[in-house]
Amino acid sequence: MVTVKEIAAAAGVSPSVVSAVLHGSRHVRMSEATRALVLAKVEELGYTTNFAARSLRTARSGVLAVVAPKLSNPVFTPMLDGIHDAAEERGYVIMLAEAMRLVDGSRMLERILGHGQVDGTILRPNADLDSTGVRSVLQREAPVVVLDEVPDRAQPWLAIDDAGAARVATEHLLELGHTRIGFLGGWLGPHATFRPREGFRHINLRRLDGYQAALRAAGIEPRDEDVIESDYAASAGRAAVERLVALRDRPTAFVVNNATTSVGVVAGAIAAGLRVPDDLAVVAIHDIDVLADVTPTISAVRMPMYELGHAGATLLAQAIEGETISSHVLTSPPPELRRRETT
Amino acid sequence: MVTVKEIAAAAGVSPSVVSAVLHGSRHVRMSEATRALVLAKVEELGYTTNFAARSLRTARSGVLAVVAPKLSNPVFTPMLDGIHDAAEERGYVIMLAEAMRLVDGSRMLERILGHGQVDGTILRPNADLDSTGVRSVLQREAPVVVLDEVPDRAQPWLAIDDAGAARVATEHLLELGHTRIGFLGGWLGPHATFRPREGFRHINLRRLDGYQAALRAAGIEPRDEDVIESDYAASAGRAAVERLVALRDRPTAFVVNNATTSVGVVAGAIAAGLRVPDDLAVVAIHDIDVLADVTPTISAVRMPMYELGHAGATLLAQAIEGETISSHVLTSPPPELRRRETT
DNA sequence: CTGAAAGCGCTTACAG
DNA sequence: CTGAAAGCGCTTACAG
């Protein structure tokens, strides 16, 4: 490989000058002719920076780690796109670990988060990422920005307005005249192992809060039996609906906590002979492309996942670069209702 | 940070011994007591390897780059999972670039593929990744494994049996008694800019080959007008069906070249008042979760994308480690029909 | 203003 | 068998 030293020799200058030309550093000033000559030699000899050497010297790698549960969940792809774009804007590249794919005793996380490898980490934790896994990430000395949850420690975090999203969904159903509205999907209890900071609640609990607040604001007392827990698979939504139709007394509409689950809920309702939306109305939290493509199309609250990823990566870059940053709930854009055929 | 030198001092040995203990190197042999002492000091002082230094010294980074068009396409997530798992098994980590998200003049690709940054690259090209982008990847001196396409140059590649998948789909429709079968989706002409090696054809053309071969084997001459090009969006499938119903003379079944498109095709057929599968039968190439969740559920040929990613990353690791490798079409598992309600 | 020299932390070929 | 020393390629504080 061509090195700085070789470029320097070819151009008849010192390595310092080559380095300065390459970085536009103003510390070392050189004539325009020298600059042009160095650049010509760089081109001619095909010099490219050795990033390992630069990292060692500067103690900066220019790499951000992204640790997320599972990319096959379509809810996360816009978030990853946002991280990707923000990283590119700021000159970083991305290293990836899907936490739920890491087998027991995996060294991949250590390998990625190891000293000198990445400048910081974006962590989107989830209930299945056990606390030791989360803790190992949070204990790194490199900055960590936590998305979607509010950590116990001093790490910066960024969340979206989950309570607001559930409120928007519930209010939409209230406006349509529903008075018996259920909340379906996600684990609310012991499976939510991530321990948030005092005074904050787990993502699913925040959504439950928004749902209940909207009901109460309409003068309706929330019922515990209308809250149905499940995992996020479409089959879980389907199974929940099948149990539901056996009941005489049941909600006429559901806020479904997850886009994938909502596809199963609608399929289950149709299979059970219910008309959608007449017999059962559905609004999903999280909009994904396929909701606008299926029959019937599914109403959803669009969550700013792209923006969350973009803002999170930007926040991380700022933390790495020593700027002061502030954790907060993203308020713009707000969760947005997209009404379709299921309401 | 704690360094090898500090561990050496604390344990009263030389850095060589610490390095040897850390790597189980047999070149330097030490007593069990020394080994234990070094390990104890590593634990006590919290030593972690500085990967930048190791990379500089060994000229190996332990990082694989993954360059793919767009992760929001659910067809690619299992492939990424396969790459992820194979990387983990072999002790590598992954760096990611979504080629279609890279803005013009982006330096991200250079930054990732730069010298010293990654040991090799897995490239899944596509029609939208223009040839200069592809070429810049293919010209790296670090090994590149091309997935799903057969490159022009000497790079190793790995593909799946696209012709076979289209054949399986077409034969299924033939067995059901259809004699007028169309092929819908994907660009077959000028948009397929990736120039494959002599004697090989672009992925969509390979599928077209399989479709036509199955028809001919059944004594049916393929008709050009039954091949409908489009992009991969569901809306494109929908639009294609809307045009179709205006025709008196039309196919009674379609092989749809893409899972997402098939969702649109089915939605479009229902919207146009066609009964599925009676008036129009549909088989998608590529199976994704949602096809089993929608109403009606959509028949599909499952492509071994996970296996493609896994085998591709394994091949790349082997190339990096100097093993001899051979490019080939993955034959196991073969494309597998999953019959559902649209046929 | 410019260049020589040091040093980031690691691994390994080499001398003892 | 063990340790001291060199050197990967870069950047930057420092001497001239």
Side-chain angles (χ1 to χ4, degrees):
Chain A
M1 282 312 296
V2 185
T3 66
V4 162
K5 215 161 128 190
E6 288 167 330
I7 298 294
V13 298
S14 79
S16 328
V17 173
V18 175
S19 185
V21 168
L22 254 23
H23 299 98
S25 156
R26 308 189 309 107
H27 178 72
V28 175
R29 292 182 68 89
M30 72 297 296
S31 69
E32 194 46 50
T34 306
R35 226 183 73 85
L37 179 61
V38 167
L39 256 17
K41 291 298 174 189
V42 163
E43 184 70 23
E44 178 188 336
L45 303 178
Y47 170 81
T48 56
T49 304
N50 181 317
F51 288 100
R54 177 184 288 174
S55 293
L56 177 59
R57 180 59 230 239
T58 62
R60 280 286 176 80
S61 66
V63 182
L64 307 182
V66 179
V67 181
K70 217 180 145 182
L71 255 22
S72 55
N73 185 339
V75 160
F76 291 137
T77 44
M79 186 181 87
L80 186 61
D81 286 348
I83 293 171
H84 192 278
D85 290 355
E88 179 169 17
E89 286 162 22
R90 294 218 155 222
Y92 289 86
V93 297
I94 290 172
M95 201 167 267
L96 194 71
E98 289 194 62
M100 284 177 67
R101 294 206 75 77
L102 299 177
V103 296
D104 218 35
S106 166
R107 321 242 77 175
M108 199 179 205
L109 216 48
E110 283 174 41
R111 183 73 184 65
I112 290 174
L113 302 180
H115 163 209
Q117 188 80 277
V118 302
D119 292 342
T121 305
I122 296 173
L123 170 68
R124 155 65 224 236
N126 88 329
D128 294 84
L129 186 60
D130 71 17
S131 43
T132 59
V134 170
R135 198 164 305 130
S136 93
V137 176
L138 293 179
Q139 276 171 352
R140 302 288 151 172
E141 58 191 316
V144 178
V145 170
V146 179
L147 297 189
D148 258 358
E149 291 289 359
V150 179
D152 199 0
R153 298 152 149 272
Q155 265 84 16
W157 55 268
L158 210 57
I160 51 185
D161 187 5
D162 291 289
R167 196 166 9 83
V168 166
T170 310
E171 285 168 357
H172 174 55
L173 294 169
L174 287 166
E175 281 163 24
L176 294 172
H178 293 277
T179 54
R180 183 81 184 270
I181 299 169
F183 183 93
L184 193 160
W187 300 114
L188 303 169
H191 286 77
T193 56
F194 188 83
R195 197 161 71 80
R197 188 180 300 184
E198 190 73 27
F200 288 87
R201 283 157 67 79
H202 179 273
I203 181 167
N204 287 344
L205 296 177
R206 297 201 300 273
R207 292 179 187 170
L208 189 67
D209 288 345
Y211 153 78
Q212 293 177 334
L215 288 182
R216 291 206 177 94
I220 298 172
E221 189 53 29
R223 306 181 184 210
D224 284 351
E225 70 268 29
D226 288 354
V227 174
I228 302 175
E229 295 187 61
S230 78
D231 67 35
Y232 291 140
S235 56
R238 206 177 167 112
V241 170
E242 279 164 11
R243 265 179 276 118
L244 195 74
V245 290
L247 304 175
R248 263 211 315 269
D249 190 38
R250 62 161 180 82
T252 57
F254 273 101
V255 174
V256 177
N257 182 14
N258 193 271
T260 310
T261 317
S262 75
V263 174
V265 167
V266 171
I270 293 172
L274 299 181
R275 287 164 305 155
V276 176
D278 300 343
D279 298 332
L280 192 71
V282 172
V283 186
I285 292 181
H286 275 304
D287 193 23
I288 57 176
D289 289 345
V290 79
L291 298 191
D293 299 326
V294 294
T295 307
T297 58
I298 300 176
S299 299
V301 177
R302 191 254 175 192
M303 304 291 264
M305 295 302 283
Y306 176 88
E307 292 82 356
L308 179 69
H310 194 282
T314 303
L315 206 67
L316 180 59
Q318 291 171 327
I320 290 167
E321 289 155 24
E323 298 177 37
T324 52
I325 59 170
S326 66
S327 302
H328 60 281
V329 173
L330 261 191
T331 52
S332 168
E336 176 201 339
L337 181 77
R338 297 193 170 163
R339 186 176 180 181
R340 302 200 181 95
E341 295 166 3
T342 57
T343 57
Chain B
M1 280 315 295
V2 184
T3 66
V4 163
K5 217 162 125 188
E6 289 168 328
I7 298 294
V13 298
S14 78
S16 328
V17 173
V18 174
S19 186
V21 169
L22 255 22
H23 298 98
S25 156
R26 308 189 311 106
H27 177 72
V28 175
R29 290 181 67 89
M30 71 298 294
S31 69
E32 194 45 51
T34 305
R35 227 183 72 86
L37 179 61
V38 167
L39 257 15
K41 290 298 173 187
V42 163
E43 184 70 22
E44 178 188 335
L45 302 178
Y47 170 80
T48 56
T49 304
N50 182 317
F51 288 101
R54 176 183 289 174
S55 294
L56 176 59
R57 180 59 227 240
T58 62
R60 281 286 175 79
S61 67
V63 182
L64 308 181
V66 179
V67 181
K70 216 180 146 184
L71 256 21
S72 54
N73 185 339
V75 160
F76 292 137
T77 45
M79 185 181 86
L80 186 61
D81 286 348
I83 293 171
H84 191 277
D85 290 355
E88 178 169 16
E89 285 162 21
R90 293 218 155 222
Y92 289 86
V93 297
I94 290 173
M95 202 168 268
L96 194 73
E98 289 193 63
M100 285 178 66
R101 294 205 75 76
L102 299 177
V103 297
D104 218 36
S106 167
R107 321 242 77 177
M108 200 179 203
L109 217 48
E110 283 174 42
R111 182 73 184 66
I112 289 174
L113 303 178
H115 162 210
Q117 189 78 279
V118 302
D119 291 343
T121 304
I122 296 172
L123 171 68
R124 157 64 224 236
N126 88 326
D128 294 84
L129 186 60
D130 71 15
S131 42
T132 59
V134 170
R135 198 164 306 129
S136 93
V137 176
L138 292 179
Q139 276 171 351
R140 301 289 153 172
E141 58 190 318
V144 178
V145 170
V146 179
L147 297 189
D148 257 356
E149 291 290 358
V150 180
D152 198 359
R153 298 153 148 271
Q155 265 84 18
W157 55 268
L158 209 57
I160 52 185
D161 187 5
D162 291 290
R167 195 162 15 78
V168 166
T170 309
E171 285 168 355
H172 175 55
L173 294 169
L174 287 165
E175 281 164 24
L176 293 173
H178 292 277
T179 53
R180 183 80 185 271
I181 298 169
F183 183 94
L184 192 161
W187 300 115
L188 303 169
H191 286 79
T193 55
F194 187 85
R195 197 160 71 80
R197 187 181 301 185
E198 191 73 27
F200 288 87
R201 284 158 66 78
H202 180 273
I203 181 168
N204 288 342
L205 296 176
R206 296 201 300 273
R207 292 180 187 169
L208 189 67
D209 289 345
Y211 152 80
Q212 292 177 335
L215 288 182
R216 290 205 178 94
I220 298 171
E221 190 52 31
R223 306 179 183 212
D224 284 350
E225 69 268 30
D226 288 353
V227 174
I228 302 176
E229 294 188 60
S230 77
D231 67 35
Y232 289 140
S235 56
R238 205 178 168 111
V241 170
E242 278 163 12
R243 266 179 275 117
L244 195 76
V245 291
L247 304 174
R248 262 213 314 269
D249 191 37
R250 61 161 181 82
T252 58
F254 273 101
V255 175
V256 178
N257 182 11
N258 193 270
T260 309
T261 317
S262 76
V263 175
V265 167
V266 171
I270 292 172
L274 299 180
R275 285 165 308 154
V276 177
D278 300 344
D279 298 332
L280 193 72
V282 173
V283 186
I285 292 180
H286 276 303
D287 192 24
I288 57 176
D289 289 345
V290 78
L291 298 192
D293 298 326
V294 293
T295 307
T297 57
I298 300 175
S299 299
V301 178
R302 192 255 175 191
M303 305 289 266
M305 295 302 283
Y306 176 88
E307 292 83 355
L308 179 68
H310 194 282
T314 302
L315 206 69
L316 180 58
Q318 290 172 326
I320 290 167
E321 290 156 22
E323 299 176 36
T324 52
I325 59 169
S326 67
S327 302
H328 60 280
V329 173
L330 259 191
T331 51
S332 169
E336 177 202 339
L337 180 76
R338 297 193 171 163
R339 186 177 180 181
R340 302 201 181 94
E341 295 167 2
T342 57
T343 56

